[in-house]
Amino acid sequence: MEGLLKVLGFVFFIFVGYFLKRTHILKEDTVHALSGLLLYVTLPCLILVCLNGLHIEASYFWLIGLGLLTNFFMIGVAYLITRKKPENRLFDMLNLSGFNIGTFVMPFLQTFVTPVGFLSICLFDIGNSIMCTGTTYAIASGTGTGMTLVKTILKRMFSSGPICSYFVMLTLAFLEFKFPTTVVEWATIGANANAFLAMILLGQSIRFAMPAEQLKELLRLLAIRLLGSLVMSLAMYYLLPFPDEIRKILALIAWAPVPVVGLIFCIKAKCKPSMAANLNSLSVACSVVIVSTLLTIL
């Protein structure tokens, strides 16, 4: 019952975010400010609190590779479904792969997981971010090779608040450094606000109005993404040699919505950005329902 109440609280604030957008109380410039606050203040605070002083087993670093592998799996799916329509390949690869970890998975799961479980999310997201921040775009567009690609990926990764926080906290864990209690208490204030901000931002990102001619194609792509999520979720839960908690977390991550960065790259490539935005909205809506349901029964 407690878990159900938490999930309902998340869903409530998503609807609050949507209401604030529809009534124009939450303006576009305010949304950008809140997004920056989430990515560069509250989420790093959450990472500090959860990973402070945590011992890391070497076997967990395989999760970074898993973040890479799951992205490649969906890129492969996108390649297969566009064999007869290569003109759609860039869009499909960008919008069928990747996982929204920072503003979806972490806020949703932060009150349900142990520090070790949170660590598994962070490690998975390192591999996921390597793909989302430039590698997938380079593969899909056929541009960017060698050092140019590496520089692009590193620039995008290390301009990300969460990614920098991962590397700082993982380095400190290796050095066996632990922040004092006072610092952790300060960070906890920001960490407690993280889920609230993330749900508000998720709500404002949802769009229900979309052209009718797009809807059929969007539903087709969404069905492919959800089928891929089902395959990955079952495989990660039943086939991986990790503790039960981590396998459950990975099974939930598979249902995360596609990351917003796919939309950003579509804008850059002038590749149906409005359609990418609508697919992202549908993906968020489905993920909220599926992950909320799974959290109440797992």
Side-chain angles (χ1 to χ4, degrees):
M1 179 59 71
E2 182 181 353
L4 176 60
L5 290 175
K6 288 181 180 178
V7 168
L8 290 176
F10 291 149
V11 174
F12 171 75
F13 282 109
I14 290 172
F15 279 107
V16 169
Y18 181 73
F19 173 78
L20 292 175
K21 182 188 77 167
R22 293 291 296 174
T23 55
H24 304 290
I25 294 174
L26 197 61
K27 306 295 183 183
E28 192 66 29
D29 54 348
T30 307
V31 169
H32 287 303
L34 290 178
S35 178
L37 189 62
L38 176 79
L39 292 174
Y40 293 98
V41 179
T42 64
L43 189 50
C45 283
L46 177 64
I47 292 167
L48 186 154
V49 171
C50 291
L51 300 188
N52 185 46
L54 192 65
H55 172 72
I56 304 174
E57 295 185 21
S59 62
Y60 287 0
F61 282 92
W62 287 104
L63 293 169
I64 297 176
L66 187 63
L68 293 167
L69 182 62
T70 48
N71 273 262
F72 275 114
F73 172 72
M74 289 309 300
I75 289 172
V77 170
Y79 180 85
L80 288 174
I81 66 173
T82 56
R83 283 178 299 173
K84 296 182 180 180
K85 292 185 177 180
E87 67 275 11
N88 293 336
R89 186 163 295 157
L90 176 60
F91 181 88
D92 288 9
M93 283 186 175
L94 288 174
N95 291 281
L96 288 179
S97 64
F99 305 89
N100 185 338
I101 303 293
T103 57
F104 185 87
V105 173
M106 286 184 179
F108 251 89
L109 299 187
Q110 69 182 72
T111 61
F112 293 91
V113 300
T114 65
V116 171
F118 191 85
L119 170 65
S120 67
I121 299 173
C122 296
L123 292 173
F124 181 94
D125 193 34
I126 292 174
N128 175 60
S129 297
I130 289 172
M131 299 300 297
C132 294
T133 54
T135 305
T136 299
Y137 178 72
I139 293 170
S141 63
T143 61
T145 58
M147 290 306 298
T148 302
L149 173 59
V150 172
K151 288 179 181 178
T152 300
I153 294 170
L154 290 176
K155 181 180 179 180
R156 287 186 173 275
M157 285 182 63
F158 287 99
S159 63
S160 163
I163 296 296
C164 290
S165 302
Y166 296 155
F167 281 107
V168 168
M169 294 307 299
L170 291 174
T171 300
L172 294 179
F174 274 116
L175 297 174
E176 298 184 354
F177 176 85
K178 186 176 182 179
F179 283 105
T181 303
T182 302
V183 174
V184 176
E185 289 177 348
W186 291 346
T188 300
I189 298 172
N192 289 338
N194 186 69
F196 169 76
L197 281 180
M199 296 306 109
I200 294 293
L201 288 171
L202 280 176
Q204 66 81 35
S205 72
I206 295 176
R207 299 171 176 85
F208 289 118
M210 58 191 70
E213 62 271 15
Q214 279 189 5
L215 188 57
K216 183 178 178 180
E217 177 64 11
L218 288 173
L219 291 177
R220 184 184 73 87
L221 290 172
L222 183 64
I224 292 169
R225 167 71 182 200
L226 293 177
L227 181 59
S229 296
L230 176 62
V231 171
M232 291 185 289
S233 182
L234 292 174
M236 289 192 286
Y237 184 76
Y238 287 106
L239 300 180
L240 294 181
F242 290 108
D244 184 64
E245 180 192 15
I246 293 179
R247 289 187 290 109
K248 286 181 178 179
I249 289 169
L250 294 172
L252 290 170
I253 287 175
W255 294 103
V258 294
V260 178
V261 72
L263 168 59
I264 294 170
F265 281 119
C266 281
I267 294 171
K268 178 180 179 180
K270 298 179 181 178
C271 178
K272 299 181 280 190
S274 63
M275 189 169 172
N278 288 330
L279 180 60
N280 190 277
S281 297
L282 289 173
S283 178
V284 168
C286 288
S287 293
V288 168
V289 173
I290 293 170
V291 173
S292 297
T293 302
L294 291 175
L295 278 174
T296 63
I297 62 178
L298 286 178

